[in-house]
Amino acid sequence: MKHWHIDQLNWDGFDPAHVDPDVVAIVKAAAVVERNGVDYAVYLNRVFADDEAFQAAADNWAIEEVQHGDALGRWAMLADPAWDYPAAFERYRSSYHIDLNATASVRGSRTGELIARCMVETGTSSFYSALADATEEPLLKAICKQIAADEYRHFKLFYDHMHRYLKRERLGPWTRARIAIGRVTESEDDELASAFYTTNESPSVPYDRRRCIAGYMSRALRAYRQKHIDRVTGMILKTIGFRPHGRVHAIASKIVYALIRQRQKSMAKVAMAAGV
């Protein structure tokens, strides 16, 4: 069951005076990615074809993901009345696809698939927490807080199922770390780049992944602060089997935050040169 409903939000509280165009751009992209959760549920149902409990959980997860996309899309249409969320989503779906015919995880095992899902939820939970803290627009702040809470629950959902499969597949910490880091590095693949392109650029402009991911990341990474990275690092360490707190966490968190700041600056240079 949904933990909240889109109509419960105070849509009359939207304040155009606090709309940041750069935030609008990344919210548009996030909206179509979230809305595409149904396709991922189809993929997960095929990978876990004989696990009815997980399939039911994945289907409910997809319902919440769709609501995330619809809430963000509705907000973006308030922020930019000329933007058409349903049309943008259809354009996104026509340009970016996942393999819906797969019968085995691209991660090599079901445990690996669940580790990858944990990484996705770690990223989204931290992103919406960061965006909620960064924006001064009250409606978007409320939306992001609700989504961030959902994404943290989704992390726990996949984490719990991961431990169920670990009992039979027995992936060690370093194998889990390799899968986790591999999924984190995929954040700059075509999924987000294509989302930024199809929601922010004209179809007459040729798609260029490097330009589009720079347009997205230069804006999105700007919202992060050390406290958000502290949480990210703890969730990653927990997933791969290390203590989520302590000296290792403290050191790793500071390194990750420094890398995030450096990456944001390099992406901003690329975006500026490309005019996005």
Side-chain angles (χ1 to χ4, degrees):
M1 298 294 292
K2 294 179 182 178
H3 287 245
W4 55 282
H5 193 278
I6 190 170
D7 291 332
Q8 294 173 331
L9 295 165
N10 180 22
W11 293 97
D12 291 334
F14 174 72
D15 184 356
H18 288 101
V19 169
D20 181 341
D22 283 338
V23 170
V24 176
I26 58 175
V27 168
K28 289 177 179 178
V32 298
V33 172
E34 294 282 349
R35 181 65 178 76
N36 206 35
V38 172
D39 277 1
Y40 281 99
V42 171
Y43 164 76
L44 290 172
N45 270 268
R46 289 182 178 274
V47 171
F48 293 85
D50 59 350
D51 188 339
E52 292 184 2
F54 180 77
Q55 287 181 324
D59 287 342
N60 190 68
W61 164 81
I63 290 171
E64 294 190 340
E65 294 294 293
V66 169
Q67 177 168 260
H68 297 169
D70 289 347
L72 293 167
R74 184 171 169 180
W75 181 88
M77 287 194 294
L78 288 176
D80 180 3
W83 189 64
D84 187 336
Y85 164 57
F89 177 64
E90 290 306 316
R91 184 182 167 204
Y92 174 66
R93 287 203 69 189
S94 69
S95 66
Y96 179 80
H97 312 276
I98 64 172
D99 184 5
L100 299 181
N101 296 314
T103 56
S105 173
V106 296
R107 310 296 166 184
S109 67
R110 290 182 173 182
T111 302
E113 183 63 44
L114 292 165
I115 290 169
R117 297 316 310 172
C118 284
M119 292 302 97
V120 172
E121 304 305 328
T122 295
T124 52
S125 176
S126 64
F127 169 68
Y128 290 112
S129 294
L131 192 56
D133 289 342
T135 185
E136 296 183 11
E137 201 292 301
L139 176 58
L140 180 61
K141 185 180 289 289
I143 292 171
C144 288
K145 286 182 177 180
Q146 292 281 20
I147 296 177
D150 281 352
E151 304 291 23
Y152 186 76
R153 284 190 299 100
H154 295 166
F155 167 81
K156 188 176 186 305
L157 165 74
F158 292 120
Y159 179 82
D160 289 345
H161 281 281
M162 178 197 76
H163 270 278
R164 183 160 64 89
Y165 276 95
L166 267 175
K167 293 178 181 178
R168 67 185 79 169
E169 294 181 338
R170 300 187 180 280
L171 273 65
W174 296 113
T175 300
R176 289 150 66 182
R178 176 181 55 78
I179 295 170
I181 293 170
R183 183 60 186 88
V184 169
T185 60
E186 290 174 15
S187 62
E188 295 184 11
D189 67 6
D190 281 306
E191 182 178 34
L192 287 172
S194 182
F196 184 86
Y197 172 67
T198 55
T199 58
N200 289 284
E201 297 191 355
S202 168
S204 63
V205 177
Y207 172 66
D208 180 88
R209 186 187 62 81
R210 185 169 182 267
R211 181 191 74 242
C212 293
I213 199 62
Y216 180 85
M217 288 295 183
S218 62
R219 293 167 171 84
L221 296 180
R222 195 184 305 158
Y224 283 88
R225 298 294 179 264
Q226 182 68 61
K227 66 177 183 178
H228 306 121
I229 302 304
D230 289 345
R231 191 177 190 186
V232 166
T233 309
M235 293 168 75
I236 293 173
L237 289 173
K238 183 177 180 179
T239 301
I240 62 181
F242 296 110
R243 288 182 59 193
H245 303 291
R247 186 177 180 184
V248 171
H249 170 262
I251 294 172
S253 183
K254 291 186 182 302
I255 292 173
V256 171
Y257 183 63
L259 292 173
I260 288 289
R261 302 317 304 163
Q262 182 181 32
R263 191 60 176 160
Q264 191 279 325
K265 291 177 181 178
S266 65
M267 286 288 190
K269 290 180 181 178
V270 173
M272 182 176 293
V276 295

